[in-house]
Amino acid sequence: MTTIQMPTISYPFPSGLNQHVHEAQQHIVSWVTSYGLLTTETAHRRFEKARFAWLAARAFPDAALHELCIIADFNTWLFILDDQCDEATVGRKADFLRSMMAGLMDILHHNRQVTPETGGPISAALSSIWERMRAISSPAWRLRFIRSMDDYFTSCIWEAENREAGITPSIADYVHMRPYTGALLADIEAIEIIEKIYLSREVVEQPLVQRMIQACNNIVCWANDLFSCTKEARQGDVHNLVLVLQHARQCTLQEAINEAARMHNEEVAIFVALEKLLPLKGAEADYELLRYISVLRSWITGNYDWSVKDTGRYGIGVGEVVAA
């Protein structure tokens, strides 16, 4: 057995926590129970430990209670679905996933009303989330959100095909697909309806802002890969930046961890540098753009605080020496 030193991670951004976090957690518990999303005692224990409302409350610190509950439900649903795809045998069956995810996309495309009895817990829960999202969003936003969910589902199938074929993706392929497998792009789209930040598409689609969104996504996803690499190595999954680096470079796990940490820190530096170059014009629109960037910052620090401080979801802390 070897031991590894997990890198210390820090961010130059403040941490925040939504004032409605406790009410949101109570809501999630009731919502998950009502839809029957937890089917085993192990799943119940993991859910209680996860405290999913804390992730939403850290990522969206200024959201009102109703909106916070919507996004907390959505992220809880994503984690339950993702855990099923990653850890259960279903995650190795691409054809089954294709069929299931086509049904989920049908709910989004056609606003289908589904109950646990007519469509099962996962579909019914998504139907509930989507009904509430539609009530507070524009048609243009819905199309963007549906596109981000389609990208996420496609990436889940890509992972399943790799598992079935015994393929470890190349570094380039993994880095390209990781923003989609993390589903964070859907959460970033949700900034508009959850925090009520309405930016023009011209502003959001500026290359500088898009690169900051990409950096935020990379930071969050690669931090998660660092936190979970030993767990996923034990499970035999290869969809992790550390494990992809180790395979491609035929290096030790520690060397791969060090390189993943370097890549992660480089993205933090890029985010900070680009923030200083934001095209602020002294207009009212600047305030909205700064609010938007503030939520990206909150996602970065919030993901870290939730993963390491609030829940210990991955079972290790930064700076620790752990057995691998």
Side-chain angles (χ1 to χ4, degrees), residues 201-276:
R201 299 317 298 168
E202 179 185 8
V203 171
V204 175
E205 290 169 7
Q206 290 179 81
L208 187 150
V209 175
Q210 285 295 306
R211 184 62 182 89
M212 292 185 75
I213 291 171
Q214 181 186 2
C216 171
N217 204 323
N218 287 341
I219 293 162
V220 170
C221 290
W222 294 351
N224 288 348
D225 284 356
L226 283 162
F227 301 149
S228 64
C229 66
T230 55
K231 171 189 147 190
E232 289 176 345
R234 287 193 296 269
Q235 292 174 341
D237 196 359
V238 296
H239 296 99
N240 180 294
L241 179 62
V242 173
L243 304 181
V244 165
L245 287 166
Q246 184 185 23
H247 179 268
R249 300 185 178 180
Q250 293 297 292
C251 60
T252 67
L253 185 60
Q254 184 68 66
E255 289 170 334
I257 287 171
N258 294 345
E259 174 59 13
R262 185 201 64 77
M263 292 171 64
H264 164 277
N265 294 340
E266 187 174 84
E267 291 295 300
V268 175
I270 288 170
F271 187 97
V272 171
L274 291 179
E275 188 171 10
K276 296 174 182 175

Side-chain angles (χ1 to χ4, degrees), residues 287-301:
Y287 176 67
E288 292 298 287
L289 177 57
L290 291 173
R291 287 181 65 211
Y292 184 88
I293 298 302
S294 177
V295 179
L296 298 183
R297 287 168 146 224
S298 294
W299 256 110
I300 292 169
T301 56

Side-chain angles (χ1 to χ4, degrees), residues 12-293:
F13 314 128
S15 295
L17 184 66
N18 193 292
Q19 63 179 327
H20 302 299
V21 62
H22 293 285
E23 294 162 280
Q25 183 63 29
Q26 290 173 354
H27 164 82
I28 291 176
V29 171
S30 175
W31 182 77
V32 164
T33 302
S34 68
Y35 281 92
L37 287 168
L38 306 175
T39 57
T40 67
E41 187 59 36
T42 300
H44 275 279
R45 286 196 301 270
R46 290 178 63 180
F47 169 77
E48 290 172 5
K49 184 179 178 182
R51 301 170 81 201
F52 287 117
W54 264 257
L55 174 61
R58 289 191 179 282
F60 297 93
D62 298 317
L65 177 59
H66 176 71
E67 285 75 10
L68 182 64
C69 288
I70 293 174
I71 202 65
D73 287 349
F74 175 63
N75 280 286
T76 301
W77 180 86
L78 279 174
F79 275 105
I80 291 171
L81 177 66
D82 189 60
D83 282 347
Q84 288 184 11
C85 291
D86 282 351
E87 297 173 13
T89 54
V90 67
R92 300 183 182 276
K93 297 177 180 177
D95 287 340
F96 178 83
L97 273 184
R98 250 185 229 103
S99 174
M100 180 181 77
M101 290 176 175
L104 297 175
M105 285 302 297
D106 188 54
I107 291 170
L108 300 178
H109 278 298
H110 302 292
N111 307 327
R112 256 193 332 117
Q113 301 268 327
V114 179
T115 66
E117 293 73 29
T118 61
I122 289 288
S123 295
L126 178 62
S127 176
S128 159
I129 294 165
W130 187 231
E131 182 179 9
R132 286 174 286 153
M133 284 184 166
R134 285 191 294 115
I136 59 172
S137 63
S138 67
W141 181 87
R142 288 170 218 149
L143 288 175
R144 294 196 302 273
F145 184 81
I146 288 171
R147 191 179 308 121
S148 69
M149 291 301 291
D150 189 38
D151 288 340
Y152 167 64
F153 290 149
T154 299
S155 72
C156 291
I157 294 166
W158 172 76
E159 287 189 336
E161 290 173 339
N162 287 342
R163 292 185 185 108
E164 285 185 339
I167 293 173
T168 299
S170 68
I171 297 172
D173 285 346
Y174 183 79
V175 168
H176 171 71
M177 292 298 290
R178 187 64 174 102
Y180 305 110
T181 63
L184 188 61
L185 292 174
D187 273 305
I188 290 173
E189 285 293 354
I191 291 173
E192 178 176 314
I193 66 168
I194 302 303
E195 290 276 1
K196 310 300 183 186
I197 299 173
Y198 303 103
L199 291 177
S200 70
R201 299 317 298 168
E202 179 185 8
V203 171
V204 175
E205 290 169 7
Q206 290 179 81
L208 187 150
V209 175
Q210 285 295 306
R211 184 62 182 89
M212 292 185 75
I213 291 171
Q214 181 186 2
C216 171
N217 204 323
N218 287 341
I219 293 162
V220 170
C221 290
W222 294 351
N224 288 348
D225 284 356
L226 283 162
F227 301 149
S228 64
C229 66
T230 55
K231 171 189 147 190
E232 289 176 345
R234 287 193 296 269
Q235 292 174 341
D237 196 359
V238 296
H239 296 99
N240 180 294
L241 179 62
V242 173
L243 304 181
V244 165
L245 287 166
Q246 184 185 23
H247 179 268
R249 300 185 178 180
Q250 293 297 292
C251 60
T252 67
L253 185 60
Q254 184 68 66
E255 289 170 334
I257 287 171
N258 294 345
E259 174 59 13
R262 185 201 64 77
M263 292 171 64
H264 164 277
N265 294 340
E266 187 174 84
E267 291 295 300
V268 175
I270 288 170
F271 187 97
V272 171
L274 291 179
E275 188 171 10
K276 296 174 182 175
L277 300 175
L278 283 171
L280 304 178
K281 302 174 182 177
E284 187 176 336
D286 291 352
Y287 176 67
E288 292 298 287
L289 177 57
L290 291 173
R291 287 181 65 211
Y292 184 88
I293 298 302

